[in-house]
Amino acid sequence: MRLIQMLRQCHTFSDLFSMPLSFGAPHFFLLIPLLALLGWSFRSLRLWQPLRIIILLLFVLLLADPSIRRLQRGMDLWVLIDRSSSARDIVDRDLPEWRGLLERSQPSEHDEIHYIDYADEVVTNPSNETAVYPGNRGLTRTGLAIQDALAQVKADRHSRLLVFSDGHSTEPLTGVAEKLTKMGVPLDCRILKSDELEDYQVSDFQIPSRVQLGEPFILNISVSGSADTEVPLSIYRGEKKITDTTVQITSGLGQLRLSDRVMAPGAHRYEVRIAPESDAHDGNNSFESWVEIVSGPRILLVTNYDDDPMVGILQAQGFDVIVVTDSLSLKPGQLTGTRAVILNNVPAYEIPNDFLHAIDFYVREQGGGLLMAGGNYSFGAGGYFESAIDPLLPVSMELKSEHRKLAVAMAIVMDRSGSMGMTVSSGDTKMSLAAEGAARAIELLGASDAVTLYAVDSSAHEIAPLLNVGKYRGDLSDRARRIQSMGGGIFVYNGLKAAWDVLKESELGQRHIILFSDTNDSEQPGQYKQLLKEMQAEDATVSVIGLGKRGDVDAAFLEDIAKRGAGRMFFSDVPGDLPNIFAQETVTVARSTFIEEPIGAQATGNWYELSNRDLDWLDQVGGYNLSYIREGDRAALISTDEYKAPLVAFGRRGVGRTAAVSFPLGGEFSEQTRQWAQAGDFMQTLNRWLMGESVPPGIGLRYQVDGTDLSIDLLYEDDPWSQRFAKLPPELALGIGQQRPEVRELQWERIAPGRYSARTELRDGELIRGSAKIGASAIPFGPVVLGSSREWAFDGERVKELRQTSETSGGRELLDLGDAWLKPEGREMAGIQLWLLIPLIVLFLLEALLTRTGWKLPSLKRPQRAPRQKPKKKPAAKKKQAPEPKPEPTPEPEPEPPTTTTQAERQSRYQRAKRRR
């Protein structure tokens, strides 16, 4: 049936003879001479018989896996459409026309057309709406789209690919041409060209990756453009502009060299920006890079005190101390080169979120140290409960019911404006995450507390009246989680006034409002100053959770509300942080976490794990933050009250180390500490332990960015490091992103003696920090970024690569879409093993039948020739001779008498006959 089907597909005799035979395993043909030799050597096998010869040849042919090329009717045209940002305007304008031309020129009903949209992701069979593309438009992954289309190509049909793209792929097309050729699928391309002619971009920006503190270094800047002109240029270090200048474009290229020096250690971000008067694309007008300013091992002290006594103590012990009193200015780059971080009575809401999130990777993966010291704005009192660094600390801030303050009446005012309905990367809406935070706050309140809920847009809507949490906790949490975005803006004054009208009637000891609002959409200030003054007179407080950044339009307005309301101001542009921020604020308000009275102290003996001798500990502390030791960590000093709370605790996290000193080291309640004679020895031992082990000599790390590829090399002396790595191989970890960094493990590849290497791809906007972990120590590196958007780089080599790939595959650059349906040569192969197997079985059974029965196939015998007669010789002339005498007759012998055969004679004849056989 399969043969008949194939013959039906052959419309002419030329089709039939255009089906060449191919063999998947031609090496089996080597069996033929071996079988011939076998038949010659062992003639008793009778392999020369015609039937056996045919069987053996069919068997060898079957082993060789033969197949026949066949042609198919119909064709699939796969249309790949570039939906990236750089091609968006052209595609949105011309796509309906392209679709119409392709579908009208479709040759027959057997042909099919398939559409694939791509940018950073690939979408098969997309919506017909031109502007709808659900993925990220920031990259052009043409290679990925081609691979995806080839994975869907049907083996029994002709296929052809057609790519609509500007050709500026952000990834190489390595291996694509080979795969297209192997599958017999031609690739056609339609290069999209923008109508705008004038465009400028920062094509390159190079600075050293590392320099010494105070050492001058060069900034090399390249700017390219389509016209010769002078382009304004600015350079920033961090958020500060350091210079304004211009660069002259000549023959399409301009070069600029500047120098700079930095007197602050750490990693510093530089950015170049251009501002041409006329420009087709502004996505390529900036380029950023990082430089590490190297100095010796140092401690970063973030303090709430202008004259912190710890500075003098640490410097007297020989430590290099960097003091930061403006905690809002902290940047993740300041962790580079820092061996330990000390947070001295600084609240969590006054530390930028990206810095707090960076500390986790810094400790666990890069081997850094973290110390938190006690005070009114530290630990739970400072809002660190369920913060980004809560899991790092060796103490738990989850407190029990007996530690509550006076009962609190709380109002939660929620922004439910239209902006809250946006979906974030986790798949949740901003509103659902904020609602989950409100529910978490309710769950953390005590049984004697009370809560009221309001959802605000242009007016305040009561979700729940002021209800006792002990009786209605479940109902209140459910109501909070059901709050949905309803559109419009948020009228802040209406929400605050509605909440205060309820709270001022409460007789509970504390009254507090939590206002959640969008920092870009907070309207109607109204008489908020007068309202907050009235609330302050009644000892009520207001804290604000702002979704956004401090620089947003309404951020200053919300900050003023928190300041006048004697509360706290939280900013976060990561909606996923909202539940934790609500929890931090609730614990700060409802729980008593700082004991403001002198408490006795008792040593546990665990200090010997850090030092070879114990300290002469102080007898009591002026106050402390109440917490509990975590499982697996150690307390060296505990309180003598009923809580037996840890006063000095320490533990390990990954390759890093953390410690908690729960009593104040400065300011109020620190008199006993400042008078402690061994305070210097205590701080020296604790900080040297926190700084961890130095990396042994004979090993180093090197990294380089090439396009979108980050290559990392670990270089070491082959002896003795090879023996160490045989027992414990090195590890490599990357922290990707600034907000909630994703930790990704990479595998080292040993490419030569003394060298491990690893590679990864950089993506636009992603900041990467890394660590090569070697036993108990680590070699940190970074930050590393992709300097400019690869989507707007417009690399001409990528266009050439696409054209070459198309030509290699048998395609062409398509100008007339009517030629898109050119059917490629059929290259599909059909196996014929079944056709060979059936006659092989039949002939094998026939041979078996002939062998068993002894029946022979009739054969044509060649007729025997008559014996050749010799020609008769003519008789010679006879001479006359005398006649011969006649012989005398011989008498006939007389018959012998019959003889009798004995038994022995008969057996003897039988044996002789048997031997003759």
Side-chain angles (χ1 to χ4, degrees), residues 29 115 125 131 151 184 208 316 323 352 393 452 469 565 604 622 650 661 731 826 862 889:
F29 286 118
Y115 292 98
N125 297 323
V323 181
L393 297 174
T452 180
V469 174
T604 63
F650 55 89
V661 177
E731 300 177 18
R862 193 166 49 184

Side-chain angles (χ1 to χ4, degrees), residues 452 653 704 813:
T452 180
R653 298 292 184 272
Q704 182 180 1
E813 186 173 349

Side-chain angles (χ1 to χ4, degrees), residues 490-498 523-528 531 557:
I490 174 174
F491 284 22
V492 173
Y493 177 77
N494 288 348
L496 290 175
K497 188 170 189 314
E523 306 176 52
Q524 196 214 18
Q527 301 297 318
Y528 80 97
L531 179 63
F557 166 49

Side-chain angles (χ1 to χ4, degrees), residues 10 244 261 416 439 441 463 513 518 538 599 637 712 787 849:
C10 302
D244 275 325
R261 70 172 68 195
R416 73 169 190 184
I463 304 301
I513 295 175
D518 190 333
E538 297 290 334
I599 298 294
L637 190 70
I712 308 155
L849 177 65

Side-chain angles (χ1 to χ4, degrees), residues 71 124 142 437 521 637 743 775 891 912:
L71 297 177
T124 307
T142 306
D521 191 23
L637 190 70
V743 179
R912 287 196 301 272

